[in-house]
């Protein structure tokens, strides 16, 4: 048995004396899942390079980028931002490409929030 999105009635009064109404149900849309972009610490990528990456690709000012770089350095990883899948994937690709161009082993990943 399938359910119709509309509930129709004959328009005649029901047993309780009220006429039926046509009611449309709207499908509820879910927000797309968000993804965390993570920077991972290594012992070779210069701190200045990580700060530059955070400023360029994540829109952080110098102070914010420096603080986040220190978090990566001390804790081993940090969330650089949270984005939709496509944007997170693009940022990971951009960071990894720039790191390879400069011959740094910096790693950037993404995971579902």
């Amino acid at each position: 048995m399938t359910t119709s999105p509309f509930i129709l009635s004959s328009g005649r009064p029901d047993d309780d004396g009220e006429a039926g109404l046509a009611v449309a149900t709207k499908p509820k849309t879910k927000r797309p899942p968000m993804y965390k972009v993570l920077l991972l610490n290594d012992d070779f990528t210069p701190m200045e390079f990580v700060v530059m990456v955070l400023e360029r690709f994540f829109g952080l000012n110098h102070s914010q980028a420096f603080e986040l770089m220190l978090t990566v350095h001390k804790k081993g990883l940090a969330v650089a931002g949270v984005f939709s899948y496509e944007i997170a994937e693009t940022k990971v690709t951009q960071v990894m490409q720039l790191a390879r161009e400069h011959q740094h082993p910096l790693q950037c990943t993404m995971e579902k929030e």
Side-chain angles (χ1 to χ4, degrees):
M1 177 174 158
T2 60
T3 307
S4 170
F6 295 96
I7 302 169
L8 300 175
S9 76
S10 64
R12 295 186 302 238
D14 293 335
D15 292 337
D16 59 4
E18 294 182 21
L21 300 174
V23 179
T25 58
K26 276 185 147 181
K28 291 188 178 185
T29 55
K30 287 185 179 179
R31 297 193 109 193
M34 300 299 279
Y35 290 81
K36 298 185 283 189
V37 176
L38 305 164
L39 285 180
L40 308 175
N41 187 46
D42 65 73
D43 294 332
F44 303 101
T45 303
M47 292 179 177
E48 297 80 22
F49 183 80
V50 176
V51 170
M52 183 269 298
V53 162
L54 291 167
E55 292 172 345
R56 179 187 281 185
F57 298 120
F58 299 95
L60 302 180
N61 65 37
H62 187 74
S63 178
Q64 293 168 324
F66 188 81
E67 286 298 317
L68 193 57
M69 175 276 300
L70 285 178
T71 301
V72 172
H73 181 68
K74 292 176 183 175
K75 295 189 176 184
L77 63 89
V79 176
V82 179
F83 309 95
S84 66
Y85 180 84
E86 292 80 10
I87 293 173
E89 184 177 47
T90 299
K91 292 197 180 287
V92 168
T93 301
Q94 290 172 327
V95 170
M96 296 296 290
Q97 183 176 352
L98 189 66
R100 297 303 156 256
E101 287 172 7
H102 288 85
Q103 299 180 344
H104 296 308
L106 180 64
Q107 292 294 305
C108 185
T109 63
M110 60 189 262
E111 66 180 36
K112 202 170 191 176
E113 188 176 42

